[in-house]
């Protein structure tokens, strides 16, 4: 068994180069759902940079081994085992042909080769290729691939793989073939094939150097009318990467394929991106503004991987953020540029606010729990569990800090050097950092700590003003506070934190900034302080009046800022800060503070009250016509219940819900006429447009509707929502109306208007799976009450004919929505939510471990909750731990219980 056991924990420190290299791969597939035969011919040689190994060990999983030949002769010294194949006494360089069989029809894991809707798809990242053929399935083994696909022509008329189509033709017995060649060396995780009944929207575009490129978006025939937006997003992505980074599409042909059974968002396989249908298909009737924006972002993300991930890839999976953090940063910048160009700061800020919201809500929580890990993790049990908010979103913030430090031009110089040095290589996060440092003539040794330290840093700020000397000092202190145990061992020293600040005068205008020792004030009124020590004081001179500091402008580093603003000061910042991000931030701070006070009262049964001044501060934003509707919507959306619960000493979802509902009702009642006016003023009559302006109007109007639905007498809101539901010409308005109807009726245990709309919605969109996902999700996330707990509705929906646990989107729409997006109902005192969770994790574990492990994570912060809930969660975790089979789920529940 020595060579069969996968070690339990994989450590970054144990990296060693592969003993063998594979230069070319020729794959032949005979595609049959239950029994696909794969013939794999590789040119193999010993790696001159590795120590000499006695055996050639290949990885393989769920494969039936058939035969091995070396240089054309059958090879007897091959031993297949559960996790791979061992070849003894191989030559130093040889051609190896391996034949094996797999069963795509029965593959419910959606990793490797699988069947979905009668078509074949692959998913290889991170370690799926070994489920297709025996291989050195690690990203530092790069080869060129030729792929021959053979299949029945009537059932599988389209045969796709990476790169360029070399040849296609008919075969006997109604079969046909296609042969593809990818001219670029790539790691096995970027391999892909697709076969089936698909059709494509096509465009031909000229790239920057004048070469013609064929672009295709492949979908099932009935979805062809939902591909235009994905195609436009692809074209915009291609242009943007040329303009912003000088990076051109390197293939003659670029394909996107949509599949409805998919574990994540999408996958950047070279020249053949495979997408969850959710991130491709859109038309106004079926997709919301958010869907349109997400499609643009994900199409961009996958396309940008063509350079950051594919041309330069990762040496090992600990370097995952090298490609993911960087590519998220690139897709965020792309979306911001699409919304606001390079200069419209207010429009760019809405994207920034949305991204920071996600980071704080999800990544900060991850960093405070048992799965906390550095952007470049030190160890893992199952790599699929490390496609995390930390690697992606915090990783993106780390990349953004280089740009904040060096400016756009300096960042571009660093990127240019990175590609000059590493094109065609598999490299590390250190290589990226060194390219940025060298291109800008800067020592970034200290900056490495952003990659190696887990936990969210805290920056405490103390200010002092000396009126006589006109000096203003800010003393910054950095640390990790009471960090989660999982993060303590990684903390080694202070970080280089780019800390952007401005100083605001009594009239609300920015003051000039002149640091002690400088001859004159700097040009702009925002300064990026280079905060490198545990404690550091920055003194500004010629400060004529005591200013109000605007701290961490545009969220210049992924940290928590501790500064004791008064409510009045926050209201002032909300009204005046020239930095749009911090304007929003002031409102969030104000709301968070009030909400946490109220949650504390709710937890102890003290009556709730909210000061008029807080209502007034929000009313000013709501009615400020100089602010964009999109910004006002973001400013008036209260922090989420999950985020608020996380901020409590002891998380109490029921108290948070009560507090948040109280404030929503208070704002609804106090500003009733304003909400009504806003509702009318921001209608978007006429044909649907997916522009940022139009979607901003819809967002603000629908926020108004959701507040109106909070009124004690919701009759008017119900009338408006019903009318909006019936008249809607787009999914944003229709689903917002349905949601308002559901919530307006929650207090009365449901209403006939809500039920009618739900039934209509189902009938209308029965043939649109992505819309039916919304139908499940809206019900799973609705508000509940004592007579009608949402768990009852969810359990009933589990038996609905349209429910299917094997389809990840559907499982997410009902189960994840309830367990992760409806905290007040999920965390019911009776433990019913937890029992449901445990049953579903165990059921999913047998079908699809990757999806099961994601669901398993929804209880990981259990130790932070109130005692009753804590006990209930522990019992559920223990139940799962005792029954779970997959390494994926085991790692999650064991870390949670440790
Ligand atoms: N690399 C992909 C991306 O970020 C995500 C990915 C990793 C993935 N593993 C996957 C997608 C497994 C689907 C299934 O774009
Ligand atoms: Zn990615």
């Amino acid at each position: 068994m020595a060579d069969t056991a996968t070690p339990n924990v994989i450590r970054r420190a144990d990296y060693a180069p592969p003993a063998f290299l594979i230069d070319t791969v020729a794959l032949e597939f005979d595609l049959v759902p239950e029994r696909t035969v794969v013939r794999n011919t590789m040119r193999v040689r010993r790696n001159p940079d590795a120590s000499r190994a006695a055996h050639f060990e290949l990885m393989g999983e769920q494969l039936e081994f058939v035969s091995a030949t070396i240089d054309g002769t059958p090879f007897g010294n091959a031993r297949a085992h559960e996790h791979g194949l061992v070849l003894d006494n191989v030559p130093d360089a040889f051609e190896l042909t391996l034949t094996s069989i797999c069963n795509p029809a029965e593959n419910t894991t959606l990793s490797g080769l699988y069947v979905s809707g009668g078509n074949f798809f692959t998913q290889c990242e991170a370690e799926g290729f070994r489920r297709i053929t025996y291989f050195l399935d690690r990203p530092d083994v790069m080869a060129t691939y030729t792929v021959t696909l053979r299949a029945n022509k009537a059932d599988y008329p389209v045969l796709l793989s990476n790169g360029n189509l070399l040849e296609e033709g008919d075969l006997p017995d109604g079969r046909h073939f296609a042969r593809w060649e990818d001219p670029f060396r790539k790691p096995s995780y970027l391999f892909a094939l697709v076969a089936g009944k698909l059709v494509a929207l096509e465009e031909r575009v000229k790239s920057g150097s004048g070469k013609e490129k064929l672009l295709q978006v492949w979908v099932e025939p009935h979805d062809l009318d939902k591909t235009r937006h994905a195609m436009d997003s692809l074209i915009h992505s291609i242009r943007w990467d040329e303009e912003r980074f000088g990076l051109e599409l390197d293939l003659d042909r670029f394909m996107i394929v949509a599949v409805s059974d998919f574990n994540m968002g999408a996958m950047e396989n070279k020249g053949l991106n495979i997408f969850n249908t959710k991130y491709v298909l859109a038309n106004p009737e079926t997709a919301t503004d958010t869907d349109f924006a997400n499609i643009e972002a994900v199409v961009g993300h996958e396309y940008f991987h063509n350079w950051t991930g594919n041309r330069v890839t990762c040496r090992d999976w600990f370097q995952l953020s090298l490609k993911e953090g960087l590519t998220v940063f690139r897709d965020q910048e792309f979306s911001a540029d699409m919304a606001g160009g390079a200069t419209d700061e207010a429009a760019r800020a809405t994207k920034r606010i949305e991204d920071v919201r996600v980071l704080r809500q999800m990544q900060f929580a991850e960093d405070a729990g048992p799965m906390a890990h550095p952007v470049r993790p030190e160890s893992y049990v199952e790599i699929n569990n490390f496609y995390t908010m930390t690697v992606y979103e915090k990783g993106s913030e780390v990349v953004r800090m280089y740009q904040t430090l060096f400016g756009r031009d300096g960042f571009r110089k660093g990127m240019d050097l990175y590609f000059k040095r590493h094109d065609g290589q598999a490299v590390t996060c250190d290589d990226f950092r060194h390219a940025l440092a060298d291109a800008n003539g800067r020592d970034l040794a200290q900056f490495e700590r952003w990659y190696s330290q887990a936990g969210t840093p805290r920056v405490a700020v103390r200010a002092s003003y000396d009126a006589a000397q006109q000096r203003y000092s800010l003393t910054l202190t950095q640390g990790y506070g009471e960090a989660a145990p999982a993060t303590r061992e990684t903390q080694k020293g202070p970080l280089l934190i780019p800390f952007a600040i401005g100083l605001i005068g009594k009239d609300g205008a920015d003051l000039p900034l002149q640091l002690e020792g400088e001859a004159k004030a700097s040009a702009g009124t925002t300064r990026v302080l280079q905060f490198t020590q545990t404690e550091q004081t920055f003194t500004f001179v010629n400060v004529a009046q005591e200013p109000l500091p605007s701290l961490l402008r545009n969220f210049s580093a992924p940290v928590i800022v501790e500064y004791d603003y008064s409510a009045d000061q926050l209201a002032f910042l909300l009204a005046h800060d020239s930095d749009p991000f911090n304007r929003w931030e002031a409102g969030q701070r104000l709301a968070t503070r009030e909400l946490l006070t109220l949650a504390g009262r709710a937890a102890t049964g003290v009556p709730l009250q909210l000061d008029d001044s807080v209502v007034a501060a929000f009313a000013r934003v709501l009615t400020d016509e100089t602010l964009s509707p999109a910004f006002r919507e973001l400013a008036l959306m209260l922090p989420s219940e999950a985020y608020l619960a996380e901020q409590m000493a002891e998380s109490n979802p029921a108290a948070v819900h009560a507090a948040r509902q109280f404030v929503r009702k208070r704002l609804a009642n106090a500003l009733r006429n304003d909400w009504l006016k806003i509702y009318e003023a921001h209608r978007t009559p006429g044909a649907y447009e997916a522009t940022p302006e139009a979607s901003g109007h819809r967002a603000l109007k629908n926020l108004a509707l959701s507040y109106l639905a909070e009124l004690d007498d919701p009759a008017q809101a119900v009338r408006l929502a019903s009318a909006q539901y019936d008249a809607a010409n787009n999914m944003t308005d229709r689903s917002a109306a349905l949601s308002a109807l559901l919530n307006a009726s929650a207090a009365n245990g449901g209403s006939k208007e809500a039920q009618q709309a739900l039934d209509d919605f189902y009938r209308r969109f029965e043939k649109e799976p992505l819309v039916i996902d919304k139908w499940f999700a809206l019900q799973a996330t609705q508000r509940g009450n004592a007579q009608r707990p949402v768990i009852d509705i969810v359990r009933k929906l589990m038996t609905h004919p349209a429910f299917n646990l094997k389809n990840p989107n559907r499982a997410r729409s009902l189960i994840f929505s309830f367990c992760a997006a409806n905290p007040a109902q999920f965390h019911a005192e009776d433990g019913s939510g937890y029992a449901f969770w445990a049953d579903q994790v165990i059921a999913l574990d047998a079908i699809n471990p990757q999806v099961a492990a994601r669901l398993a994570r929804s209880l990981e912060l259990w130790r932070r909750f109130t005692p009753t809930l804590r006990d209930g969660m522990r019992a559920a975790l223990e139940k799962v731990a005792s029954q779970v089979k997959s390494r994926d789920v085991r790692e999650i529940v064991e870390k949670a219980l440790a």
Side-chain angles (χ1 to χ4, degrees):
M1 281 294 280
D3 38 32
T4 69
T6 321
N8 215 353
V9 179
I10 321 283
R11 290 177 203 286
R12 183 171 73 89
D14 292 344
Y15 174 80
F20 292 84
L21 298 175
I22 301 173
D23 294 316
T24 66
V25 181
L27 294 169
E28 291 173 64
F29 289 84
D30 281 291
L31 293 164
V32 177
E34 289 78 24
R35 195 172 186 281
T36 289
V37 180
V38 182
R39 224 167 92 104
N40 170 7
T41 302
M42 298 165 267
R43 289 235 45 102
V44 186
R45 64 187 159 101
R46 288 188 183 270
N47 182 357
D49 299 326
S51 48
R52 192 177 176 86
H55 318 289
F56 181 30
E57 298 191 33
L58 299 116
M59 297 88 152
E61 257 162 38
Q62 304 283 302
L63 297 176
E64 185 187 319
F65 176 66
V66 177
S67 66
T69 66
I70 282 190
D71 295 326
T73 315
F75 186 72
N77 298 334
R79 195 159 36 88
H81 57 83
E82 217 193 322
H83 298 284
L85 185 70
V86 185
L87 306 180
D88 293 330
N89 300 319
V90 295
D92 287 352
F94 55 99
E95 186 182 87
L96 173 64
T97 299
L98 299 173
T99 304
S100 60
I101 295 170
C102 59
N103 185 346
E106 296 294 308
N107 181 1
T108 58
T109 66
L110 311 184
S111 165
L113 177 63
Y114 64 95
V115 174
S116 165
N119 300 324
F120 287 95
F121 299 90
T122 55
Q123 171 55 41
C124 292
E125 189 176 6
E127 298 180 337
F129 192 68
R130 65 187 65 181
R131 301 167 57 88
I132 298 174
T133 182
Y134 294 100
F135 204 71
L136 285 180
D137 190 12
R138 43 185 288 170
D140 55 355
V141 173
M142 296 171 76
T144 53
Y145 286 64
T146 314
V147 179
T148 306
L149 305 173
R150 290 187 288 264
N152 180 286
K153 190 172 181 177
D155 295 336
Y156 310 103
V158 173
L159 303 173
L160 308 175
S161 191
N162 315 87
N164 303 315
L165 180 63
L166 291 183
E167 195 187 353
E168 59 188 333
D170 289 338
L171 295 168
D173 304 331
R175 287 151 46 81
H176 71 148
F177 79 96
R179 211 147 59 80
W180 293 80
E181 179 188 60
D182 180 354
F184 294 95
R185 290 166 73 241
K186 67 167 174 283
S188 52
Y189 82 86
L190 291 174
F191 165 80
L193 75 78
V194 171
K197 288 192 186 112
L198 299 169
V199 295
L201 174 69
E202 289 192 353
E203 284 276 326
R204 274 163 225 273
V205 299
K206 279 216 167 55
S207 66
S209 67
K211 287 207 207 73
E212 189 171 276
K213 311 283 179 182
L214 172 62
L215 312 179
Q216 296 176 316
V217 179
W218 290 94
V219 297
E220 289 187 19
H222 60 268
D223 288 326
L224 196 56
D225 63 343
K226 304 183 203 77
T227 51
R228 189 66 243 171
H229 179 64
M231 176 63 85
D232 289 340
S233 300
L234 177 59
I235 294 169
H236 293 146
S237 303
I238 293 171
R239 296 269 171 274
W240 184 84
D241 219 7
E242 288 179 355
E243 281 164 22
R244 178 87 182 256
F245 288 108
L247 298 172
E248 193 175 350
L249 174 57
D250 55 8
L251 289 164
D252 302 337
R253 173 177 180 139
F254 192 88
M255 297 173 277
I256 286 176
V257 184
V259 55
S260 56
D261 292 290
F262 204 68
N263 282 347
M264 304 232 246
M267 179 63 213
E268 69 264 25
N269 317 298
K270 184 80 188 187
L272 181 59
N273 289 183
I274 299 183
F275 277 60
N276 188 326
T277 45
K278 183 173 165 57
Y279 296 107
V280 175
L281 303 181
N283 68 28
E285 287 74 42
T286 60
T288 61
D289 293 336
T290 305
D291 294 326
F292 275 84
N294 287 341
I295 289 167
E296 179 178 82
V298 178
V299 167
H301 181 96
E302 306 312 328
Y303 177 75
F304 303 143
H305 268 314
N306 191 51
W307 280 92
T308 51
N310 301 2
R311 287 288 288 254
V312 183
T313 195
C314 301
R315 185 192 72 174
D316 56 76
W317 291 120
F318 296 102
Q319 317 299 328
L320 182 58
S321 198
L322 171 75
K323 74 176 176 80
E324 295 304 347
L326 176 53
T327 304
V328 171
F329 169 73
R330 276 153 55 71
D331 84 53
Q332 290 177 347
E333 288 289 278
F334 167 60
S335 294
D337 284 347
M338 291 297 291
T343 51
D344 183 346
E345 287 306 326
R348 295 181 66 86
T350 58
K351 170 65 177 159
R352 184 75 186 128
I353 288 165
E354 285 159 5
D355 293 338
V356 172
R357 236 185 132 87
V358 170
L359 180 85
R360 283 210 286 231
Q361 195 167 304
M362 318 278 288
Q363 195 280 326
F364 282 19
E366 177 169 277
D367 237 347
M371 271 293 286
H373 56 275
V375 163
R376 182 188 59 200
E378 295 298 338
S379 68
Y380 60 78
V381 173
E382 170 52 63
I383 184 57
N384 285 316
N385 287 333
F386 284 78
Y387 287 76
T388 58
M389 290 312 261
T390 300
V391 166
Y392 276 66
E393 311 301 321
K394 185 175 181 180
S396 164
E397 294 298 323
V398 170
V399 173
R400 183 176 297 278
M401 286 190 284
Y402 293 109
Q403 181 171 278
T404 304
L405 287 168
F406 302 135
R408 276 198 195 192
D409 293 345
F411 186 76
R412 169 68 191 268
K413 273 196 262 163
M415 289 286 278
D416 290 350
L417 185 59
Y418 174 64
F419 290 116
K420 186 159 172 241
R421 284 181 179 171
H422 300 300
D423 188 13
Q425 300 174 7
V427 304
T428 64
C429 297
D430 284 337
D431 293 320
F432 183 76
R433 180 168 50 87
H434 288 137
L436 266 291
D438 295 349
N440 290 281
R442 188 59 198 265
D443 177 356
L444 286 178
Q446 185 182 8
F447 198 79
E448 195 208 2
R449 292 196 184 123
W450 280 111
Y451 292 91
S452 61
Q453 300 192 166
T456 306
R458 290 173 174 269
V459 176
V461 181
R462 276 177 290 133
S464 72
Y465 181 62
D466 181 339
Q469 304 289 323
Q470 303 212 332
R471 288 161 63 91
Y472 182 72
S473 295
L474 288 173
T475 299
L476 310 184
T477 314
Q478 56 170 301
Y480 286 87
E482 292 198 8
T487 72
R488 269 177 224 141
E489 64 202 41
T490 68
Q491 291 156 13
K492 296 183 187 76
L495 297 153
L496 161 51
I497 298 177
F499 198 89
I501 68 136
L503 301 179
I504 302 175
K506 303 269 181 279
D507 61 353
D510 279 346
L511 301 177
L513 300 175
Q514 182 180 3
L515 278 169
E516 185 168 37
E518 290 174 347
K520 57 179 176 48
S522 52
T525 55
T526 296
R527 236 353 228 268
V528 180
L529 303 175
Q530 312 242 337
F531 173 33
T532 57
Q533 292 152 35
T534 304
E535 180 168 307
Q536 206 167 340
T537 297
F538 299 87
T539 300
F540 294 90
V541 296
N542 295 324
V543 184
Q545 47 167 307
E546 179 164 14
L548 187 58
S550 171
L551 302 167
L552 203 73
R553 280 186 160 172
N554 204 31
F555 199 72
S556 62
V559 302
I560 295 167
V561 176
E562 296 171 349
Y563 180 78
D564 230 348
Y565 287 112
S566 70
D568 288 347
Q569 289 175 328
L570 289 174
F572 187 81
L573 290 172
L574 177 58
H576 298 294
D577 200 322
S578 69
D579 182 66
F581 177 87
N582 263 6
R583 230 175 138 172
W584 170 81
E585 174 74 347
Q588 293 295 298
R589 275 180 184 259
L590 188 59
T592 301
R593 197 155 62 190
E594 295 300 327
L595 285 161
L596 289 176
T597 306
L598 291 167
R601 286 168 165 258
T604 49
V606 181
L608 306 185
Q609 62 200 43
L610 182 68
D611 205 80
D612 285 341
S613 65
V614 178
V615 176
F618 283 98
R620 274 198 297 278
V621 175
L622 179 61
T623 55
D624 183 345
E625 294 295 328
T626 67
L627 293 170
S628 75
F631 179 87
R632 281 186 273 165
E633 191 259 346
L634 288 167
L636 285 149
M637 198 196 307
L638 300 176
S640 75
E641 291 182 17
Y643 175 76
L644 292 166
E646 237 261 300
Q647 310 304 306
M648 296 180 81
E650 218 168 51
S651 296
N652 184 337
V656 164
H657 182 71
R660 195 168 180 278
Q661 275 311 106
F662 173 81
V663 173
R664 279 179 58 83
K665 274 185 177 299
R666 180 84 156 74
L667 291 173
N669 285 301
L671 308 179
R672 177 188 177 137
N673 289 331
D674 293 312
W675 292 122
L676 277 169
K677 262 191 254 157
I678 292 279
Y679 183 82
E680 295 302 333
H682 293 275
R683 289 177 187 268
T684 51
Y688 174 86
E689 283 184 320
T691 60
E693 295 75 38
S695 82
H697 287 300
R698 280 187 289 273
L700 184 58
K701 176 195 67 181
N702 288 323
L703 182 81
L705 183 62
S706 86
Y707 271 100
L708 291 167
E710 305 286 0
L711 293 171
D712 294 327
D713 176 10
Q716 188 177 19
V718 169
R719 269 197 310 279
L720 291 173
S722 291
Q724 175 172 323
Y725 180 90
D726 291 333
N729 71 349
N730 66 82
M731 180 50 68
T732 304
D733 283 343
R734 203 185 299 276
S735 61
L738 177 54
S739 173
L741 287 171
L742 285 171
N743 287 332
S745 73
N748 316 314
S751 71
K752 82 172 186 314
E753 289 89 347
Q755 194 55 50
Q756 272 169 5
L758 262 183
D759 294 345
D760 176 86
F761 193 92
Y762 187 84
R763 275 195 307 274
R764 204 182 271 263
F765 298 111
E766 209 168 356
K767 297 208 163 57
E768 299 289 351
L770 294 170
V771 184
I772 298 304
D773 289 340
K774 296 182 198 299
W775 185 78
F776 279 105
L778 278 168
Q779 295 180 79
T781 53
Q782 71 186 301
R783 213 163 290 152
N785 60 70
Q787 303 90 291
R788 197 157 169 265
V790 177
I791 180 76
D792 293 352
I793 297 168
V794 170
R795 283 196 186 281
K796 188 152 170 251
L797 287 171
M798 293 287 294
T799 66
H800 191 282
F803 185 74
N804 173 12
L805 195 60
K806 289 190 178 152
N807 175 256
N809 286 357
R810 194 52 54 83
R812 283 187 278 258
S813 74
L814 183 57
I815 302 170
F816 287 54
S817 294
F818 179 67
C819 297
N822 196 345
Q825 290 293 306
F826 176 63
H827 294 282
E829 288 269 332
D830 64 4
S832 53
Y834 308 148
F836 173 76
W837 169 88
D839 291 346
Q840 301 316 319
V841 173
I842 291 164
L844 276 168
D845 185 56
I847 296 170
N848 186 329
Q850 284 184 38
V851 173
R854 296 276 157 170
L855 180 62
R857 293 198 57 188
S858 41
L859 252 59
E860 73 187 15
L861 295 177
W862 66 279
R863 283 177 207 276
R864 307 173 60 108
F865 284 74
T866 56
T868 316
L869 299 183
R870 208 187 298 156
D871 292 347
M873 286 192 250
R874 196 214 327 257
L877 279 161
E878 282 168 350
K879 178 177 172 186
V880 169
S882 72
Q883 296 187 32
V884 73
K885 302 270 190 309
S886 74
R887 184 166 55 177
D888 308 55
V889 177
R890 191 162 23 89
E891 176 172 30
I892 302 298
V893 292
E894 281 179 2
K895 283 184 172 161
L897 288 167

